[in-house]
Amino acid sequence: MAVDEIVEGKEYYLYKVHTDKRLGYEVYASWDYVRLAAYSTGGTPVVFEKDPNNSSQYYIRMTESNYSNHVYLTSDNKGWIYLDKKSEASRFCFFLDAWGRIKLWHYHGDADSKNFKLHGDKNWLAADGYMDDNGNIDRNLFQVEKA
């Protein structure tokens, strides 16, 4: 069941809206990159941690990974999301609607230029969704459920 608020430190699953697929990770080029898991029993819980210097920004931590201490969502220079140490981690902003759907974006951009978007057959996660000049939105929404 979708949540109506996100509590810092609690574990949540992020499902792609209208599917039973959760975010998880897979090794690619010696790093864990974030993608949709194959089915609803897959996936990895995430924890939201407020940035102590800015209460509207969050670190997002997966509860496990293939590499010790590399559990924080991080955007590389092309926008792909992988897991790294907290010292290297990106910070993200979000808006949670009344139906438990979350719009996530990388804090370096505004809400309409660095949105979470899934790509390819494996549904790799990147922060390159956007809103074009006509108001068309190219991003993926996720539903937040308690782990």
Side-chain angles (χ1 to χ4, degrees):
M1 178 156 205
V3 301
D4 57 3
E5 72 174 320
I6 291 179
V7 177
E8 183 181 10
K10 299 266 184 183
E11 293 184 8
Y12 299 98
Y13 283 111
L14 296 179
Y15 287 85
K16 182 180 178 208
V17 168
H18 305 301
T19 73
D20 65 348
K21 295 181 178 182
R22 304 170 180 161
L23 284 183
Y25 59 89
E26 181 179 318
V27 174
Y28 179 81
S30 299
W31 291 91
D32 282 331
Y33 277 83
V34 179
R35 61 172 291 233
L36 282 185
Y39 51 87
S40 62
T41 58
T44 306
V46 299
V47 176
F48 291 81
E49 299 176 2
K50 281 187 184 175
D51 179 347
N53 299 316
N54 187 329
S55 63
S56 66
Q57 298 172 13
Y58 290 79
Y59 294 98
I60 303 174
R61 175 176 53 89
M62 286 201 156
T63 58
E64 60 186 55
S65 71
N66 287 307
Y67 305 102
S68 179
N69 296 322
H70 288 73
V71 291
Y72 287 88
L73 273 64
T74 308
S75 180
D76 70 14
N77 61 359
K78 293 183 180 178
W80 297 105
I81 305 296
Y82 68 99
L83 301 179
D84 206 342
K85 297 179 206 167
K86 188 170 187 176
S87 61
E88 302 299 321
S90 299
R91 288 176 304 278
F92 300 92
C93 301
F94 68 85
F95 173 77
L96 184 69
D97 70 17
W99 297 277
R101 297 176 305 195
I102 192 169
K103 174 184 163 186
L104 291 150
W105 65 93
H106 189 272
Y107 93 101
H108 280 302
D110 63 49
D112 296 322
S113 68
K114 298 283 185 182
N115 289 280
F116 276 22
K117 176 82 177 151
L118 298 165
H119 294 279
D121 293 339
K122 287 197 170 188
N123 289 298
W124 297 105
L125 185 64
D128 66 350
Y130 64 92
M131 180 183 292
D132 67 19
D133 293 336
N134 297 321
N136 299 312
I137 299 172
D138 181 29
R139 68 167 177 253
N140 290 107
L141 292 176
F142 294 88
Q143 183 167 314
V144 183
E145 296 189 10
K146 291 179 184 176

